[in-house]
Amino acid sequence: NAGVTQTPKFRVLKTGQSMTLLCAQDMNHEYMYWYRQDPGMGLRLIHYSVGEGTTAKGEVPDGYNVSRLKKQNFLLGLESAAPSQTSVYFCASSITGTGTYEQYFGPGTRLTVT
Amino acid sequence: EDKVVQSPLSLVVHEGDTVTLNCSYEVTNFRSLLWYKQEKKAPTFLFMLTSSGIEKKSGRLSSILDKKELFSILNITATQTGDSAIYLCAVTDPSHSWGKLQFGAGTQVVVTP
């Protein structure tokens, strides 16, 4: 089991460029999440998905889009990158069912927008 | 607005010391509190606490929840350099069936030899 994987690990973009971050999980989890982590701010939820074909906004969704075409994959897109989107991005997944809230995290993608 | 506050924000200790980390929360509908350890990369799960007064223990780490006073502590005894990490606290809100986690900012722990 690879768990949760993310590609790429690092990326540098210029302002206005676009990119897609890929998250894949092999645990058959229904729920998947995208977070960003900035110094002193903990993890903030960008978008999440409760199943294949469904997505919803989290706390900080502006400037990002997501898609969940396959259960195991969750894509995060930046259409026009801005310096404020410089951050470390984490994908996570969790199993279905109430009372089970443990989320499993990927290794992160460090994105710099210049 | 729901809040999760961790303290201290950072600390430096010597190997062998004991560390106590705090997490206080204000959430509308509390269900459980989770602790994660984050080294260089992905946060990894440590504990989930749902009941007051019951200590969870794993090796030199232990944690307890006080639902009346709305806080949890994470203790690390006989610290080692491998305990250096950011420790994250998160609470769950069952009004979101998909298991939303509200994270605190984290406490950075540095253990020096």
Side-chain angles (χ1 to χ4, degrees):
Chain A
N1 267 0
V4 180
T5 58
Q6 292 181 232
T7 52
K9 291 186 171 55
F10 303 94
R11 186 71 187 268
V12 178
L13 287 180
K14 292 194 166 123
T15 298
Q17 288 185 319
S18 63
M19 76 163 294
T20 300
L21 283 67
L22 171 63
C23 175
Q25 52 96 2
D26 62 2
M27 297 175 282
N28 204 34
H29 285 172
E30 286 292 334
Y31 300 168
M32 296 186 76
Y33 315 83
W34 275 108
Y35 292 91
R36 60 178 289 173
Q37 186 175 36
D38 302 294
M41 301 194 74
L43 288 158
R44 292 183 293 167
L45 184 66
I46 305 171
H47 286 281
Y48 64 97
S49 168
V50 300
E52 182 179 314
T54 70
T55 63
K57 294 180 180 179
E59 300 169 64
V60 289
D62 294 341
Y64 305 96
N65 56 75
V66 288
S67 64
R68 183 105 181 263
L69 298 178
K70 291 183 180 180
K71 185 177 183 179
Q72 63 268 33
N73 295 337
F74 195 27
L75 279 63
L76 178 71
L78 285 73
E79 289 184 347
S80 179
S84 61
Q85 294 177 304
T86 293
S87 188
V88 181
Y89 292 85
F90 287 98
C91 176
S93 69
S94 65
I95 202 166
T96 54
T98 57
T100 305
Y101 297 101
E102 181 184 346
Q103 293 182 12
Y104 296 81
F105 286 84
T109 295
R110 185 173 292 276
L111 174 67
T112 302
V113 183
T114 62
Chain B
E1 186 181 312
D2 294 347
K3 278 200 310 188
V4 180
V5 179
Q6 293 186 244
S7 62
L9 289 179
S10 65
L11 71 162
V12 180
V13 298
H14 293 294
E15 265 191 320
D17 287 351
T18 293
V19 163
T20 298
L21 309 181
N22 301 288
C23 176
S24 64
Y25 60 90
E26 295 175 27
V27 296
T28 309
N29 297 294
F30 175 83
R31 171 68 63 84
S32 56
L33 185 146
L34 289 79
W35 284 98
Y36 282 84
K37 177 182 181 182
Q38 184 179 21
E39 296 176 83
K40 297 288 185 188
K41 294 184 178 179
T44 54
F45 174 76
L46 293 174
F47 299 112
M48 184 168 76
L49 302 150
T50 55
S51 302
S52 249
I54 298 177
E55 186 181 53
K56 291 264 179 121
K57 203 167 168 64
S58 175
R60 296 174 294 102
L61 277 68
S62 63
S63 184
I64 197 159
L65 176 67
D66 186 325
K67 288 168 79 170
K68 185 179 173 189
E69 300 297 329
L70 308 183
F71 77 93
S72 173
I73 59 171
L74 175 69
N75 279 320
I76 311 173
T77 58
T79 51
Q80 302 171 359
T81 54
D83 295 324
S84 295
I86 297 172
Y87 291 84
L88 296 164
C89 164
V91 297
T92 64
D93 179 349
S95 63
H96 299 278
S97 63
W98 46 272
K100 175 185 176 183
L101 290 180
Q102 178 92 20
F103 281 90
T107 294
Q108 175 142 36
V109 175
V110 175
V111 182
T112 61

